């Protein structure tokens, strides 16, 4: 069940051809973050194994630690004590910060794009309205000129 879910999630994030570059980049960054968190959890348990002061002894603890680290919450309940564990922690942090930055940028770009579309439609509607108004004024002036010309000939 899980591999099918992951395949569908990856296809949803990355699969559509019509998606914009920022959405694809955020999708790829999210997929990379998930992989880094899963592999990093395993690697930190391996790096900390056998160390007397280690508190990352099981994969579930390490997975929780990687989530805390990637989101920069860092409750302090779990932390690596070896150099290898700290290097893995730094990688998880950098990938997490980068991913959340890209997702935030993608959302901001989407909001700005929507606002630009709205303003473009408003400008087009205003331009169309002014063209219609100018055309109607020209027709009235032409009619007035014909009326004035017709009255001048009657005299």
């Amino acid at each position: 069940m899980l591999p099918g879910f992951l395949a569908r999630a990856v296809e949803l994030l990355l699969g559509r051809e019509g998606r914009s570059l920022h959405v694809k980049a955020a999708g790829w960054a999210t997929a990379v973050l998930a992989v880094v968190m899963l592999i990093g959890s395993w690697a930190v348990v391996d790096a900390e194994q056998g160390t007397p002061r280690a508190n990352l002894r099981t994969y579930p603890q390490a997975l929780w630690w990687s989530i805390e680290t990637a989101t920069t919450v860092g409750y302090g309940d779990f932390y690596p004590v070896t150099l290898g564990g700290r290097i893995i922690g730094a990688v998880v942090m950098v990938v997490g910060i980068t991913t959340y930055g890209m997702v935030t940028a993608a959302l901001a770009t989407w909001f700005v794009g929507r606002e630009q579309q709205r303003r473009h439609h408003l400008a087009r509607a205003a331009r169309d309205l002014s063209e219609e108004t100018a055309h109607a004024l020209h027709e009235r002036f032409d009619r007035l000129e014909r009326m004035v010309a017709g009255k001048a000939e009657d005299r």
Side-chain angles (χ1 to χ4, degrees), residues 12-149:
L12 180 67
L13 284 171
L14 311 174
R16 299 206 178 135
E17 286 298 318
R19 294 216 175 179
S20 61
L21 180 61
H22 62 275
V23 172
K24 287 181 184 180
W28 275 105
T30 302
V32 168
L33 176 61
V35 170
V36 165
M37 287 172 48
L38 293 171
I39 293 173
S41 298
W42 169 79
V44 80
V45 168
D46 189 53
E48 300 282 303
Q49 195 171 30
T51 304
R53 297 178 300 135
N55 62 12
L56 289 168
R57 299 177 195 277
T58 66
Y59 187 76
Q61 288 174 336
L63 192 56
W64 175 247
W65 164 82
S66 71
I67 292 169
E68 288 179 329
T69 303
T71 58
T72 68
V73 172
Y75 293 123
D77 50 353
F78 297 109
Y79 51 90
V81 294
T82 63
L83 177 63
R86 290 179 178 172
I87 291 171
I88 294 165
V91 170
V92 172
M93 281 183 226
V94 168
V95 172
I97 292 166
T98 302
T99 299
Y100 294 118
M102 292 178 84
V103 169
T104 303
L107 279 171
T109 302
W110 181 76
F111 281 119
V112 168
R114 294 284 304 242
E115 180 62 18
Q116 285 178 340
Q117 285 178 348
R118 187 186 73 80
R119 288 182 180 189
H120 178 72
H121 290 303
L122 285 174
R124 180 182 294 156
R127 188 172 47 248
D128 291 345
L129 183 61
S130 68
E131 288 174 4
E132 289 175 18
T133 303
H135 182 69
L137 284 173
H138 282 293
E139 286 181 358
R140 283 186 175 182
F141 284 134
D142 290 344
R143 226 181 17 238
L144 284 171
E145 286 176 350
R146 284 191 299 270
M147 287 173 53
V148 169

Side-chain angles (χ1 to χ4, degrees), residues 1-19:
M1 179 176 144
L2 189 59
F5 168 75
L6 288 176
R8 279 180 281 176
V10 168
E11 181 183 350
L12 180 67
L13 284 171
L14 311 174
R16 299 206 178 135
E17 286 298 318
R19 294 216 175 179

